[in-house]
Amino acid sequence: MIVIGALSPHPPLLVLDPQPEILEQVQSTDSSLRDLAQQFAKAKPQRIIIMSPHAPVHPTAFPIYLTERLRGSMAQFRRPDVTLDYPIDQEFSKKLASRCAERQLRTFFLSESSAKQYGFSLDMDHGTFVPLHYLHQAGVEVPLVVLGTAGLTPQEHAQLGKVIAELIEEDGVPTAILASGDLSHRLLSSGSYGFDEKGPVFDEAITAAVRGNDLQAASAIPAETVQRAGQCGYRPIMMLLGALPQAEAHQLSYEGPFGVGYCVAYLTPARETSEKQDAAPKREDVRLTLARQAVQEYVTHHRVLEKPEPQDELAEPAPTFVTLKINGQLRGCIGTLAATCPNQQQEIIQNAISACSRDPRFKPVTPAELPLLQYQVYVLGPMEPIDSRDKLDPKRYGVVVSKGGRRGVLLPNLEGIDTVEMQLEIAARKGGISLDEDPDLYRFEVITYGE
């Protein structure tokens, strides 16, 4: 059975004792990889299957190591003293090759004979080394099945993941699956690979697919976006998502301080209940998708998202708020208390653009921040004037405090705001109002859509 799946970046600098000022810039990734290693230790796998884009690549077949052990060091990065040595599960590797042949998927053994014939190295590549370095530190030392990527389609890599899961289910050995891969290498003009506007677009799309464990969304990323992003993790991610169609995803971190996207995430298999097996995959609400697309279009292209006129519930006008967060911290929030657009779709697009570019408390969102954003959309009910604080409940109602043209608004059910007094105080302060002025009070309910 599969006990855990994961996506790990592989920047070599993390295992080379970098200078403190360098390590500080990737502290989130380093901490998350340590957390990920602890998750692996808790899951207690007896085997790890890892796909690395920096292992030997074959144009038409999946490379599979077939050596007794896989050894490596950081010698190419001037640290020959940092070494690893893991056994290879040759029996499973051979079974995988046989099952792939039955599924019309070609494989290629990376062995001493093939290395001698074709002139490639059998040393552990850094895409395999870096994640294993963290697992080794956590005491996770079990046999490996190590794969390289192929010049085959992303969908064929997902099919490989399905074959792997099928074999694991048959032999019953607790197994972890690890996709090693960095995301776009073209996030910053100051980076080694320069900037391409498709870089942030790819990272936003693939991290959303990983967070949702959504193979269909990952498959739908346009080939041009994948190519221009200059990534190396797409095919390993497709293998991972193909192997774990029913799993809960947890993104631990994402950052791109040097122009390369580093995402750390893990997937835990869903409990095998009939309810979960029968349930349809959970999809993101259309309002969240709309807000995400609007922000992406505006930040990347400085254009307003264009959509056909809605024919569903979004056709009716409604006031909305759009909130943006990064790592749980507010990054922008703009909304309307009364509808200003002819339909809810346009209202969300308008407020999403305002939240990412016109919130006076923050600088405009940059392309590099797009993959980090978490979205919430609030659809507001009617404003009700109230004559008593007793009619407020900060968990159920939002509040408007108004006096002489000044107005402060606070949404309901916000973290850390547990009392009416606190809710009123914050709302009044936002409007530059003193509660001693006996301001007018209004309450409203919301329907919340959020990540």
Side-chain angles (χ1 to χ4, degrees), residues 17-72:
D17 295 327
Q19 296 297 317
E21 61 270 19
I22 299 296
L23 182 59
E24 184 178 357
Q25 296 182 67
V26 287
Q27 187 62 54
S28 180
T29 298
D30 179 61
S31 297
S32 294
L33 285 173
R34 295 182 190 279
D35 291 344
L36 180 66
Q38 292 302 317
Q39 292 295 331
F40 268 63
K42 292 177 184 177
K44 298 180 179 179
Q46 296 178 22
R47 173 174 59 210
I48 297 173
I49 298 177
I50 180 170
M51 174 176 278
S52 168
H54 296 291
V57 178
H58 193 283
T60 60
F62 292 110
I64 305 175
Y65 278 89
L66 197 66
T67 56
E68 288 188 6
R69 305 189 71 84
L70 186 61
R71 302 179 177 91

Side-chain angles (χ1 to χ4, degrees), residues 140-213:
V140 181
E141 298 186 30
V142 297
L144 307 177
V145 175
V146 182
L147 310 168
T149 57
L152 300 172
T153 67
Q155 290 71 29
E156 286 172 301
H157 283 73
Q159 182 62 30
L160 172 66
K162 295 177 182 178
V163 173
I164 289 170
E166 180 181 294
L167 279 176
I168 293 170
E169 185 66 25
E170 289 177 8
D171 75 9
V173 176
T175 301
I177 297 182
L178 197 154
S180 174
D182 295 337
L183 305 188
S184 173
H185 291 49
R186 296 170 181 163
L187 299 177
L188 297 173
S189 57
S190 58
S192 300
Y193 302 88
F195 175 77
D196 190 295
E197 63 181 18
K198 294 297 185 182
V201 172
F202 172 81
D203 279 16
E204 197 280 337
I206 196 65
T207 53
V210 171
R211 288 194 304 272
N213 190 19

Side-chain angles (χ1 to χ4, degrees), residues 399-417:
V399 67
V400 178
V401 179
S402 178
K403 187 69 175 183
R406 294 166 290 157
R407 185 173 64 186
V409 182
L410 203 64
L411 294 167
N413 200 29
L414 298 179
E415 184 176 358
I417 301 177

Side-chain angles (χ1 to χ4, degrees), residues 300-323:
T300 305
H301 302 294
H302 304 289
R303 295 194 301 248
V304 176
L305 180 69
E306 294 185 2
K307 286 280 191 180
E309 286 296 314
Q311 303 298 319
D312 52 15
E313 69 270 23
L314 297 183
E316 296 298 321
T320 68
F321 271 71
V322 175
T323 296

Side-chain angles (χ1 to χ4, degrees), residues 284-292 295 314 318-324 333-334 344-345 347-349 351-352 374-380 411 446-451:
E284 182 176 77
D285 185 85
V286 63
R287 295 163 185 82
L288 288 176
T289 302
L290 193 60
R292 187 188 306 279
V295 169
L314 297 183
T320 68
F321 271 71
V322 175
T323 296
L324 309 176
C333 180
I334 295 291
Q344 189 182 138
Q345 175 176 279
E347 197 86 24
I348 292 171
I349 292 173
N351 289 332
Q374 300 162 303
Y375 294 79
Q376 289 176 307
V377 175
Y378 301 85
V379 179
L380 278 61
L411 294 167
V446 303
I447 301 174
T448 305
Y449 305 88
E451 299 177 327

